[in-house]
Structure formats: C-alpha cells, structure tokens
DNA sequence: CGATGACTTGAACGCCATCAATCGCTGTGG
DNA sequence: CCACAGCGATTGATGGCGTTCAAGTCATCG
C-alpha cells in the first residue's frame, strides 16, 4: 500500500512550521488510487501533500459519490478534530505525503494555546471552504460550477500558465454535484467560446485564455474556494 | 432595533457553562425581521438564542439568497473565528438572545487551552453540519431535501409532538436551495401520503405521523443536520 | 372591506441526468 | 508488431424534475 521514504524534516517545511516545529514527521508514498485512510477509520495522522494529488470523498448508500475536496502540494488534510475520519482519502495520482501523528498535536495543544489557535484557524479555513461550496452546489447552474472550478484550479495548480488537472472528469463531476457528461459538455462549451485551450488529447492540460470571462460566469458566489 | 433586557446570568445557563463560567453576558430582544448583525460587520459578540428563532443568510449578487442555518432556543451562533461575520443574522420572529463579548472569549482562550478546545469543538460541530448540508444540496432531490428538513426540525423544535415552524416557505426554500413553490408542493405531497398533519391554515404547525416514512425518503445522506 | 402576505396549485419551459454511440489513446498478449 | 480490450472523453437524443409564470384561496390587518 505505501512505503516509507524518509524522515527528512526540511524538504517542504510548511507543515512543520505551521504546526510549531514538530519533529516526528514521516514521509510516505502512495500509488495511484491507493487509499490513504478510510471513512470512519481512526484519525491517527494528519497529512500534507508533498507531491501529487489527493481526493477525499464519501459514498452514499445508493452508490453516488461526493468528493469533498482536492488536496494539492502544500495542502494539509485529515484534520477532522475527532477520533475518526469523516471522509475517505485516496491518491489521485502517485503521491508523496508527510504525516504527523495527531496525538502529538493534541498533546501539544493541551498546554499550548498557540497550537490550539493554529488548529482552530485551520478548521475555520476548512469551514469557509465548505461554506463557499454550499453556495455553489445549492444555487448555481452547471455552467457556473464548472467555471468556478476552473478558476479555483487556475489559482491552485497552474504552473507556467497551464492547468494540469490530475483528476478525471468523473472526479470533477462528483466534486461539483454534476454528471460527468455535463462537465465534459461545459468544458467543450468554454473551449468553443475561446475561454480555454487544450494541450493534450485527453484535455487535462488547460490554458485559460479568458479568465475574466470565466469569472463573469462564475459570478457572485465567490471563486475563493480555498 | 433592540433593547436591553437584563443581565441575569442564570436564566438559561447552557452557554455560560459551555464557555467556562464567563460573566458579562447580556440579554437583548429583537423584533421580527430585525437584523442582529450584518455580513462583513464586526464580530464583536457571539449569541445564544433564549427564545424565538434566528436565520443567518448571505445575499448573492443576482438577488438569490442562501440561508446558512436556523438557530433555535439553546443554539449558539455568530462564532465566526474572525473579526468579521460571514453571514447576516436576522430574527425570524420576536426573539430574545444572550450575548457574550467575543474579545473576552479570545482573551480567555489565549491562556486557557480548555477554552480554546471548546471553541474548536464548536467550530468542528459547525463544520460537520455544513458538510452534511453539502451532501443534501449537492446530490439530493427536492423530495429528499424537504424530508430531511422535516426530520431535522422534528428533532429540534418539537414540543408536544408538534413542529411549530417559525419560518415561512421562502426561508425553507432558501435553506434547501429550492423554489418556495417546490417546498410547498412537497409539503402537500407528504400530506397526501399521510406522513403529515397540519394544524393551522398556514400549515406551519405540523405533526409528523410517519417519521419512518420520511426517514426512508431522506435516505443516505444522513438526517443528522445538527 | 379592500389590500397585503403566505400558501397552494396548475401549466409550460428549460436545464441537466440518463442512455447510448463513437473516437482516440494505452497497454497487453498472441 | 499488431489486434483488441479498456479507459477516458466527447457528443447526440430523450425524458424528467424543478423552476418560472400565473392564478386562486385564505387569513390578517389597516
């Protein structure tokens, strides 16, 4: 499932610094589609993406899937503030993660209000992300949702002006509460309008030619999804 | 807008006890539709409902309204963990609230990890509520949403077996992401099926005759909305 | 008693899900 | 090395659910 990589503490120290210079971080690698933790499983660690991408999801009783979030390099996830995870986490592509034991955080937070403050800040950021997504899912059309998604990704994983989507259309659909065909159709529509250019045949490498156009469509409900 | 009522610290002490025996709580009364605080206004207080009901909402640029939550007697709201509120809060009916100054909480939390822990717990509860609502709004039909709403309210504001809804159909619609006519139609459908009985002509006093039936419709996405 | 607001109900349209066909790329085994 | 299977994506056709527009009822209030 995963293999120990290293315990190098300063390859990408954002997590460590944000969480107060903790030692005892470990690195693991997960191959594509590997499960990182399961819904209702014990929440023993929190995670930071070093390389790759992660999706967290819930399965509904009728088989439908809800993707709660995509986690990209630098992002921290798995902080559920409970003994059990509320989502399942999987690697979207081959992924390297840094792990921190949750009980260490808990222990530190018990006596250190600064650490407690950091945990609260992270949870609040999480809450705001989810509140924004409620607006999107509750009130917006398919076109608006896809536009908002593209804007979000344009801000989060663009390198050299190119969005390199790690996830497939179905993942996006389950994130936006749409059928994957609808996502595909809206991508095509934006392409036809000249808002997007595709670089590869699978159309996951995307250049946003008209960000203002997309923003105009995504409108009100704020594109600040993280 | 509002009037000072009293500073009696032990009329409904849940907030006080949960937040660690703070003094300096005050009571205020708000009349129907009065604004308690505005979106992006300074978050100087947190609030507990003593009597009545409160809705928190956001307005979108095109006039659509999203209701984030209903707050009923005993509920605490306004804890945004930032300097500004992310929602507007209004009294749905004549309402009495207890107020606690946020800077007092902040000061206490700065040195007391237990208080910090309580704030985190409340924020996490908030987060879970919102996550459940995302499932509802992202993936469920109108029928399922209304059923889930009725189950939620049946758990939260039933007295003597009767749900006495303080909010109108439009409020419910904006909470569930539906048109108010659709809410009305689903209420009627449940009534026809024998799941509900209405006690008043405006049909806000409701007896749930078949909770299992409603639960069966609300299904998977968990009815535990608080 | 006319006006207003809350709610219900009907009719028609439109968005999006569903079902289905097709295309292109990738990888695998004969 | 090529045929074929399988996956990801696009595109088309169709139908249903929920919105929108509209009318009508009932209760409350000035």
């Amino acid at each position: 499932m995963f293999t120990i990589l290293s315990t190098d503490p300063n390859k990408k120290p954002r997590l460590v610094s944000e969480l107060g210079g903790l030692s005892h971080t470990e690195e693991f690698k997960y191959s594509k589609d590997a499960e990182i933790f399961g819904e209702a499983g014990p929440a023993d660690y929190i995670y930071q993406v070093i390389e790759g991408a992660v999706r967290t999801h819930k399965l509904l009783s009728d088989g439908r899937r809800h993707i709660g979030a995509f986690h990209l390099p630098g992002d921290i996830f798995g902080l559920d503030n409970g003994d059990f995870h509320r989502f399942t986490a999987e690697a979207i592509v081959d992924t390297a993660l840094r792990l921190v034991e949750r009980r260490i955080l808990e222990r530190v937070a018990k006596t250190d209000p600064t650490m407690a403050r950091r945990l609260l800040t992270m949870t609040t950021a999480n809450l705001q992300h989810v509140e924004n997504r409620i607006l999107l899912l509750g009130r917006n059309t398919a076109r608006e949702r896809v536009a908002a998604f593209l804007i979000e990704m344009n801000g989060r994983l663009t390198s050299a002006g190119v969005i390199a989507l790690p996830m497939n259309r179905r993942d996006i659909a389950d994130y936006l509460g749409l059928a994957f065909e609808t996502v595909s159709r809206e991508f095509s529509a934006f392409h036809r309008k000249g808002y997007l250019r595709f670089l590869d045949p699978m159309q996951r490498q995307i250049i946003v030619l008209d960000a203002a156009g997309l923003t105009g469509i995504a409108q009100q409900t704020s594109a600040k999804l993280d």
Side-chain angles (χ1 to χ4, degrees), chain A:
Chain A
M1 192 65 103
F2 52 70
T3 50
I4 296 183
L5 244 209
S6 81
T7 319
D8 182 349
N10 48 4
K11 197 174 177 186
K12 197 151 192 182
R14 235 181 73 193
L15 175 63
V16 179
S17 68
E18 283 188 17
L19 295 178
L22 293 171
S23 51
H24 289 296
T25 71
E26 303 172 76
E27 277 188 39
F28 286 87
K29 275 208 161 177
Y30 298 81
S31 49
K32 179 167 152 61
D33 292 325
E35 179 174 309
I36 297 158
F37 54 77
E39 187 176 349
D44 294 332
Y45 298 91
I46 72 168
Y47 304 80
Q48 182 181 34
V49 180
I50 296 170
E51 197 186 352
V54 171
R55 62 175 173 256
T56 53
H57 78 258
K58 281 184 178 178
L59 286 178
L60 308 188
S61 61
D62 59 358
R64 289 178 294 188
R65 186 181 65 152
H66 167 73
I67 290 189
F70 295 117
H71 304 286
L72 306 173
D75 293 349
I76 293 165
F77 67 97
L79 179 70
D80 285 306
N81 295 311
D83 289 337
F84 301 99
H85 288 294
R86 292 196 299 275
F87 287 87
T88 299
E90 294 166 348
I92 298 175
V93 294
D94 290 354
T95 296
L97 300 179
R98 173 172 295 118
L99 280 64
V100 178
E101 279 191 81
R102 196 170 71 94
R103 60 178 180 80
I104 294 179
L105 291 186
E106 300 266 318
R107 208 179 51 213
V108 173
K110 213 156 228 141
T111 57
D112 177 6
T114 328
M115 172 63 80
R117 187 61 177 156
R118 283 195 189 102
L119 293 178
L120 180 57
T121 301
M122 288 170 62
T123 303
T124 300
N126 222 323
L127 179 59
Q128 287 187 39
H129 179 250
V130 174
E131 279 172 357
N132 282 327
R133 295 202 58 223
I134 279 207
L135 289 185
L136 200 70
L137 296 179
R139 316 252 51 158
N140 286 24
T141 63
R143 173 143 313 176
E144 290 165 345
R145 297 184 204 192
V146 174
F149 173 79
L150 285 166
I151 292 166
E152 179 187 356
M153 288 304 150
N154 199 34
R156 287 177 69 194
L157 51 65
T158 297
S159 123
V162 178
I163 307 178
L165 295 177
M167 73 291 283
N168 63 23
R169 296 291 191 262
R170 180 170 296 280
D171 288 338
I172 298 171
D174 288 347
Y175 180 63
L176 298 177
L178 299 170
F180 75 91
E181 297 97 326
T182 302
V183 173
S184 179
R185 270 185 255 270
E186 295 305 334
F187 271 64
S188 297
F190 289 143
H191 182 244
R192 263 195 308 279
K193 283 195 186 187
Y195 293 172
L196 304 179
R197 173 139 49 108
F198 300 123
L199 299 183
D200 62 327
M202 243 200 310
Q203 310 199 169
R204 291 203 193 167
Q205 314 233 70
I206 302 174
I207 295 178
V208 175
L209 300 174
D210 186 353
L214 289 179
T215 307
I217 288 171
Q219 277 180 335
Q220 69 284 347
T221 66
S222 107
K224 289 158 50 193
L225 295 184
D226 217 312

